[in-house]
Amino acid sequence: MELITPDQRAAAAQTLADAFADDPLMHIIATDERKRRDVGPWFLGGALDYGMRWGEAVANEDASAVAVWLPPGETTMSPLRMMRVGLWRLPFKLGLRGAASFMSALSATEKFHKTVEGPHWYLVAVGTSPSQQGQGLGSALIEHGTAKADAAGIPCYLETATDRNIAFYSKRG
């Protein structure tokens, strides 16, 4: 796994969009499947751009597996930085309802994130193209971040909204 290069960015954003197409958060911001397909690469590309600037965005060679990690001390996604990566377009891309729904979901998850005490790594997103799932690529991306956290003796944090994901992450510590 290597840091994502600018020429991999579009493929990496599409990978995250494909991986998150049925995620509850995506259903919150875009209830219509066509709208999710249209805004997914842009929306998740914003998270990717954030990680590329202030964290670690990593992928395999063809960017069919992608993870965005934020390091200790940088784990709160600031509104100013979100705007700097283009997420100020949120209401224009998602509509006012979608943007409000996202902000509400973000507000709810921030409460949980604030309970994490001390330095930690934050896994913002990890996704594998549906055609590549089940081959250990996602696990390798998680290992990339957890190895750094283990070496520093600090925890990792993530949010998820599905029982299936809880089982996946629990198996990987």
Side-chain angles (χ1 to χ4, degrees):
M1 299 298 161
E2 299 292 328
L3 292 176
I4 293 172
T5 61
D7 63 311
Q8 292 176 305
R9 192 256 180 225
Q14 187 62 55
T15 291
L16 288 175
D18 293 344
F20 280 83
D22 290 323
D23 188 80
L25 176 62
M26 293 304 293
H27 281 265
I28 288 170
I29 65 168
T31 56
D32 177 71
E33 181 180 347
R34 184 180 56 78
K35 179 85 168 177
R36 278 193 307 279
R37 225 180 13 255
D38 290 346
V39 301
W42 173 83
F43 178 71
L44 291 157
L48 180 64
D49 292 342
Y50 195 102
M52 289 174 75
R53 286 184 83 169
W54 295 288
E56 291 189 10
V58 293
N60 62 342
E61 188 174 320
D62 66 358
S64 62
V66 177
V68 177
W69 287 92
L70 296 181
E74 300 289 339
T75 58
T76 299
M77 293 180 73
S78 80
L80 180 59
R81 286 181 174 182
M82 290 172 69
M83 289 171 52
R84 287 180 66 189
V85 296
L87 290 174
W88 60 269
R89 296 181 186 96
L90 205 65
F92 302 102
K93 293 284 192 174
L94 303 179
L96 291 177
R97 185 177 182 188
S101 295
F102 170 70
M103 296 310 290
S104 178
L106 187 64
S107 177
T109 59
E110 271 302 304
K111 292 174 189 171
F112 295 111
H113 194 157
K114 288 180 180 180
T115 66
V116 181
E117 295 181 12
H120 61 280
W121 280 85
Y122 175 35
L123 180 57
V124 176
V126 60
T128 303
S129 293
S131 65
Q132 301 293 317
Q133 291 176 1
Q135 299 180 27
L137 298 172
S139 296
L141 290 165
I142 292 169
E143 171 65 25
H144 174 84
T146 58
K148 290 181 180 198
D150 290 346
I154 59 175
C156 294
Y157 172 82
L158 62 87
E159 295 117 6
T160 188
T162 66
D163 290 336
R164 179 178 167 220
N165 286 350
I166 292 169
F168 176 80
Y169 295 122
S170 293
K171 286 181 188 176
R172 287 145 188 90

